[in-house]
C-alpha cells in the first residue's frame, strides 16, 4: 500500500482539500473496471458521477478523440469549425429541440440556462427590469458557482461564500402546490432535477413532473430540466423526464455527453427561448470546440447504437430487485430508476462511509452521498454477471457488524 499512500499524501500536500475521496488511487481502466496503482482491480459503481455511462475508454469514443486531435482540437468561436454544426444537429435531432448551445461543464450549462431564462423573462414575458425570479427545489444540486449555490439549501454550499446572488426562491421538492404558490408575475423559470442525485437518489411522487409542466405552462414560466446526471440513458430512458412524457422548455446536459473523456455540456431549447441570445451575450473559449464536438457525437452514438437506455432499464430492475433481497437490519430503503440506485442506511448507524471503504477493500467502488445513502451508478454496459458479483459483495459487507 506504500504507493497508494504516497500518491494520497502528495495530493494532500499540494492540492486544496475540497474533496474527501475514498482512499484508492486509480491508474487505468476499461469498461466497467478500473485498476489502482497496486494493480488491484475494482468494479466502478460510481462512473464519475454518471459521466462514464458508456464505460471507460470506449473504443469508438477514443477513436473519435484521436482522429480529431490529429486534425484540429481547438479553434475558439472567433471562427467556425467543421464539426460543431453536426454535433449540435445530432443533439437537436436526438432530443427534438430546435437549438443547442454548447459549453463545457455542467455548472456552465446551468448558468447558461439561468441567463437564457432571465433574458427571456425581460424580452418576451416583459418582466420589469431587474425583477426576474427563478424558483428551485430544496436539496437541489446544480453545480458550484456563486449564483448556483445562491439557491442551494445546503448550509455548507452558501455559508462563507456570500453575498449570494438575488432572484432565487427555494421550495420543497416533489410538492406541486408549493410551486403554484411560489409563482408570481416576476417568475421566469422553475429549475429542477427529474431525480435528485446528490441529495441521495430522491425520486419525486408519480405525476409530479406532469403537474409541474401544467403549472409552469399555465403561468408562462419556463421549465428548466437539469438532466446533467440523469440524462443519456442513466435512468432507463434517454432523458429521465421522458418517464412522465413531458417536454421541458430548457434541458441542461453534461457528464455522459463527454463520453467519459472530456468535459462537454450544452443546453437545448426551441428558438422562442434561444433567440434571446445575441452575439456577445454569452460564450466560452472552449465551448463547441471541434474536439468536444467529435467526442460528443461519438458519445451520443454509443448510447443510441448500443441501446444503453434500454439496458439501464432492464439491468436496473434486476439490480434493485437483487438489492431488495438483502436482509439487513441496517438498510432503511433501496430506491432507484434504471441504473441510478440509492441504498439508504438507518440514521442510527451514523454514516455510509465505512461501508463504502469496506466495499472498496472487496473490489467495489462507490461513494456515500448525504452521509446515509450509497449511490450505485455503474456504467450502463455492466453485465448481469457483474451485477450478481456486486450484490454478493454488498451482501457480505452488510452481513458484518457495521457498527465496528
Ligand atoms: C454534476 C451535476 C452538475 C454540475 O456539473 P459539473 O460538470 O460538475 O459542473 C449540475 N447538475 C447536476 C444534476 C449534476 O449532477
Amino acid at each position: 500500500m506504500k504507493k497508494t499512500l504516497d500518491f494520497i499524501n502528495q495530493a494532500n500536500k499540494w492540492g486544496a482539500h475540497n474533496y474527501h475521496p475514498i482512499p484508492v488511487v486509480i491508474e487505468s481502466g476499461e469498461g466497467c473496471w478500473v485498476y489502482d496503482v497496486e494493480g488491484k482491480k475494482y468494479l466502478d459503481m460510481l462512473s464519475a458521477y454518471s459521466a462514464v455511462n458508456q464505460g471507460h475508454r470506449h473504443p469508438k469514443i477514443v477513436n473519435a478523440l484521436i482522429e480529431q486531435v490529429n486534425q484540429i482540437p481547438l479553434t475558439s468561436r472567433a471562427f467556425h469549425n467543421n464539426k460543431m454544426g453536426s454535433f449540435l444537429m445530432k443533439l437537436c435531432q436526438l432530443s427534438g429541440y430546435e437549438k443547442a448551445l454548447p459549453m463545457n461543464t455542467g455548472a456552465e450549462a446551468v448558468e447558461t440556462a439561468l441567463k437564457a431564462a432571465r433574458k427571456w423573462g425581460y424580452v418576451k414575458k416583459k418582466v420589469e427590469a431587474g425583477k426576474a425570479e427563478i424558483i428551485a427545489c430544496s436539496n437541489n444540486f446544480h453545480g458550484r458557482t456563486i449564483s448556483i449555490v445562491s439557491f442551494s439549501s445546503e448550509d455548507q454550499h452558501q455559508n462563507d461564500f456570500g453575498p449570494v446572488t438575488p432572484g432565487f426562491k427555494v421550495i420543497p421538492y416533489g410538492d406541486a402546490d408549493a410551486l403554484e404558490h411560489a409563482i408570481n408575475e416576476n417568475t421566469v423559470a422553475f429549475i429542477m432535477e427529474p431525480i435528485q442525485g446528490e441529495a441521495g437518489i430522491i425520486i419525486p411522487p408519480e405525476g409530479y413532473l406532469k403537474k409541474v409542466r401544467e403549472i409552469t405552462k399555465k403561468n408562462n414560466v419556463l421549465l428548466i430540466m437539469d438532466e446533467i446526471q440523469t440524462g443519456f440513458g442513466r435512468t432507463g430512458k434517454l432523458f429521465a423526464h421522458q418517464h412522465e412524457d413531458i417536454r421541458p422548455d430548457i434541458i441542461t446536459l453534461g457528464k455522459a455527453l463527454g463520453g467519459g473523456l472530456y468535459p462537454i455540456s450544452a443546453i437545448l431549447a426551441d428558438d422562442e427561448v434561444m433567440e434571446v441570445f445575441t452575439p456577445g451575450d454569452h460564450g466560452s473559449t472552449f465551448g463547441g470546440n471541434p474536439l468536444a464536438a467529435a467526442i460528443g457525437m461519438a458519445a451520443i452514438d454509443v448510447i443510441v447504437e448500443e441501446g444503453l437506455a434500454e439496458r439501464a432499464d432492464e439491468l436496473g430492475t434486476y439490480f434493485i430487485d437483487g438489492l431488495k433481497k438483502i436482509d439487513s437490519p441496517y438498510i432503511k430503503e433501496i430506491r432507484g430508476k434504471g441504473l441510478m440506485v440509492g441504498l439508504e442506511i438507518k440514521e442510527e448507524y451514523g454514516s455510509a462511509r465505512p461501508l463504502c471503504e469496506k466495499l472498496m477493500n472487496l473490489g467495489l467502488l462507490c461513494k456515500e452521498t448525504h452521509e446515509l445513502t450509497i449511490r450505485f451508478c455503474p456504467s450502463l454496459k455492466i453485465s448481469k454477471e457483474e451485477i450478481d458479483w456486486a450484490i454478493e459483495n454488498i451482501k457480505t459487507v452488510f452481513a458484518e457488524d457495521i457498527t465496528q
Side-chain angles (χ1 to χ4, degrees):
M1 293 300 285
K2 180 164 180 322
K3 268 182 162 174
T4 295
L5 285 178
D6 286 348
F7 281 111
I8 291 175
N9 290 336
Q10 186 186 40
N12 281 338
K13 176 162 170 30
W14 298 103
H17 295 184
N18 57 330
Y19 273 91
H20 181 36
I22 297 284
V24 59
V25 180
I26 296 168
E27 185 174 71
S28 63
E30 187 171 19
C32 306
W33 297 85
V34 294
Y35 299 82
D36 75 2
V37 288
E38 317 282 344
K40 190 175 162 191
K41 184 179 176 181
Y42 302 85
L43 183 63
D44 179 1
M45 294 201 87
L46 184 66
S47 312
Y49 297 98
S50 293
V52 193
N53 286 1
Q54 299 91 340
H56 293 284
R57 289 169 52 235
H58 192 291
K60 178 167 178 150
I61 311 173
V62 170
N63 281 337
L65 178 147
I66 292 169
E67 261 180 39
Q68 191 58 43
V69 160
N70 286 323
Q71 287 189 28
I72 184 139
L74 184 60
T75 54
S76 89
R77 296 289 301 274
F79 313 115
H80 291 276
N81 71 69
N82 67 348
K83 288 287 162 22
M84 190 186 82
S86 336
F87 170 50
L88 302 183
M89 179 176 80
K90 194 179 270 289
L91 260 179
C92 288
Q93 288 178 344
L94 178 81
S95 60
Y97 286 84
E98 289 170 351
K99 292 264 189 310
L101 192 163
M103 297 293 284
N104 313 285
T105 65
E108 286 175 309
V110 171
E111 287 276 348
T112 305
L114 300 175
K115 282 177 78 172
R118 280 184 170 185
K119 189 161 180 193
W120 173 87
Y122 297 124
V123 172
K124 303 260 176 148
K125 189 171 172 171
K126 309 286 182 204
V127 170
E128 197 186 320
K131 291 267 169 76
E133 275 183 17
I134 293 174
I135 302 171
C137 294
S138 52
N139 298 318
N140 73 72
F141 182 84
H142 297 290
R144 306 287 199 168
T145 66
I146 296 246
S147 287
I148 294 172
V149 300
S150 297
F151 52 91
S152 174
S153 56
E154 284 285 293
D155 287 344
Q156 198 201 347
H157 289 178
Q158 264 185 28
N159 288 354
D160 302 331
F161 297 112
V164 298
T165 305
F168 298 102
K169 226 185 226 177
V170 176
I171 60 166
Y173 186 63
D175 183 345
D177 291 338
L179 174 63
E180 188 126 45
H181 288 124
I183 291 174
N184 61 39
E185 77 271 18
N186 295 324
T187 310
V188 297
F190 175 52
I191 181 167
M192 63 170 290
E193 301 153 86
I195 295 175
Q196 289 187 324
E198 299 306 305
I201 320 295
I202 308 299
I203 303 167
E206 183 115 21
Y208 176 62
L209 268 68
K210 270 209 158 77
K211 277 193 210 144
V212 160
R213 180 65 283 192
E214 278 167 26
I215 293 165
T216 47
K217 198 164 253 166
K218 191 175 71 190
N219 290 284
N220 196 22
V221 166
L222 298 178
L223 175 58
I224 305 172
M225 197 58 65
D226 185 345
E227 291 271 8
I228 291 167
Q229 188 164 157
T230 47
F232 295 108
R234 172 57 56 191
T235 71
K237 298 261 190 207
L238 188 60
F239 302 118
H241 66 265
Q242 293 170 336
H243 286 288
E244 288 205 14
D245 224 7
I246 61 149
R247 190 171 187 274
D249 300 296
I250 302 178
I251 298 179
T252 58
L253 299 172
K255 295 200 166 108
L257 181 56
L261 296 192
Y262 193 81
I264 307 173
S265 70
I267 75 162
L268 299 170
D270 285 339
D271 287 325
E272 153 75 8
V273 171
M274 212 69 103
E275 72 195 7
V276 302
F277 283 128
T278 55
D281 269 357
H282 192 55
S284 158
T285 304
F286 285 87
N289 73 69
L291 183 59
I295 294 170
M297 281 190 273
I300 294 169
D301 284 345
V302 167
I303 299 280
V304 174
E305 286 164 10
E306 301 188 16
L308 295 188
E310 296 76 13
R311 250 189 105 82
D313 184 39
E314 188 191 325
L315 291 171
T317 305
Y318 181 75
F319 184 36
I320 292 168
D321 286 349
L323 287 176
K324 283 188 171 160
K325 287 195 190 107
I326 298 176
D327 181 26
S328 163
Y330 308 126
I331 297 176
K332 182 179 171 195
E333 192 184 35
I334 312 276
R335 54 178 179 263
K337 239 187 198 144
L339 282 168
M340 188 172 188
V341 180
L343 184 163
E344 185 175 346
I345 63 164
K346 290 183 187 152
E347 207 166 350
E348 59 261 41
Y349 299 108
S351 165
R353 173 85 183 194
L355 291 160
C356 295
E357 293 185 357
K358 285 180 181 188
L359 285 166
M360 175 198 81
N361 290 329
L362 294 175
L364 193 162
L365 293 185
C366 57
K367 181 82 164 61
E368 80 281 3
T369 179
H370 271 227
E371 280 303 306
L372 296 171
T373 302
I374 305 178
R375 167 173 27 199
F376 294 111
C377 291
S379 151
L380 310 184
K381 304 253 317 179
I382 194 167
S383 68
K384 241 181 181 153
E385 292 69 31
E386 287 163 334
I387 288 176
D388 288 338
W389 183 87
I391 291 170
E392 277 315 304
N393 283 294
I394 296 164
K395 214 183 261 173
T396 303
V397 162
F398 275 96
E400 293 169 10
D401 182 355
I402 70 165
T403 56
Q404 299 288 304

